[in-house]
């Protein structure tokens, strides 16, 4: 079986976009081969497939069926570059929403509209050490403000709560820095990611909840680069985008024995 993969680099969160042609039954095997290839240095894999809505430019389904903000803006950027346009609407696993992606091809930037969180819960190791959990349809994030990065803690939280969600992240937020750890149930993988779009959105949404109505912008310095989150709040309703620099690499042809 042969396929084509395009590597995208949104703030270091290297995303493999597999073009059309991989049957759903073969995705796990293909994703494993991509993740194991040291030349690609992929942190996650998404598969391009036929869109469900007629006005969508395309659809991307992650290997674990989760939602991913960085993958969404990477896929939108790829489609915009191919069509020579500055915006398009895409579909993404983990959400029913069509998402608009706005690109500046000259400056190599891409910002994706994001589905907003559905609710806020509190959880932790015990009743005296609780952290907010931002629950969204395709992924849930624990927001650990003013807590230094602690991989062992993140793995304990993933072991305790991760099985309840299709994807679960622990976001360590200190001032303008953010360090993400993400678990995906569908692939049973834990990754200390270079950046996390949905985690950045979750942190920004949490920090905006008690602010006045208006436009709120956040710039998070993450291990692989900078993620910019813009949140608009009006009468208790929110809308937001995740964006920043993004580069694409030349397509690579790969093959596995049938």
């Amino acid at each position: 079986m042969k396929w084509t993969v395009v590597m995208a680099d949104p703030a270091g969160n290297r995303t493999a976009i597999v073009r059309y042609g991989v049957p759903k039954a073969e995705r796990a095997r293909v994703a494993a081969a991509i993740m194991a290839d040291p030349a690609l240095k992929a942190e996650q894999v998404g598969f391009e497939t036929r869109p469900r809505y007629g006005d969508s430019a395309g659809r991307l389904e992650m290997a674990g069926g989760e939602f991913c903000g960085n993958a969404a803006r990477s896929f939108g950027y790829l489609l915009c570059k191919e069509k020579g346009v500055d915006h398009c609407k895409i579909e993404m696993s983990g959400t029913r929403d069509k998402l608009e992606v706005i690109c500046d091809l000259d400056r190599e930037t891409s910002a994706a509209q994001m589905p907003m969180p559905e609710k806020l819960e509190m959880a932790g190791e015990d009743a005296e050490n609780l952290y907010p959990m931002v629950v969204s349809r395709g992924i849930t994030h624990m927001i650990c403000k003013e807590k230094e990065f602690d991989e062992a803690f993140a793995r304990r939280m993933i072991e305790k709560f991760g099985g309840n969600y299709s994807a679960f992240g622990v976001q360590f937020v200190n001032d303008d820095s953010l360090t993400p750890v993400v678990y995906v149930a569908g692939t049973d993988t834990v990754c200390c990611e270079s950046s996390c779009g949905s985690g950045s959105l979750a942190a920004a949404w949490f920090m905006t909840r008690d602010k006045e109505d208006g436009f709120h912008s956040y710039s998070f310095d993450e291990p692989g680069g900078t993620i910019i989150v813009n949140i608009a709040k009006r009468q208790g309703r929110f809308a937001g985008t995740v964006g920043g620099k993004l580069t694409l690499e030349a397509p690579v042809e790969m093959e596995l024995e049938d």
Side-chain angles (χ1 to χ4, degrees), residues 155-215:
R155 288 182 177 272
R156 290 198 302 274
M157 294 300 95
I158 288 168
E159 183 176 355
K160 188 171 184 178
F161 302 108
N164 299 326
Y165 306 98
S166 57
F168 181 79
V170 181
Q171 310 295 321
F172 296 91
V173 184
N174 290 277
D175 296 324
D176 294 331
S177 73
L178 184 149
T179 305
V181 182
V182 177
Y183 167 73
V184 177
T187 55
D188 193 27
T189 54
V190 177
C191 181
C192 297
E193 293 189 336
S194 298
S195 68
C196 181
S198 62
S200 301
L201 184 282
W205 178 84
F206 174 74
M207 291 188 287
T208 303
R209 290 175 66 254
D210 295 327
K211 292 186 176 181
E212 295 181 354
D213 284 3
F215 182 82

Side-chain angles (χ1 to χ4, degrees), residues 7 17 19 31 54 80 87 91 102 124 164 183 188 197 207 218 250:
M7 291 303 304
I17 300 173
R19 308 309 301 263
C80 282
H87 69 281
E91 301 168 25
I102 300 174
N164 299 326
Y183 167 73
D188 193 27
M207 291 188 287
Y218 303 84

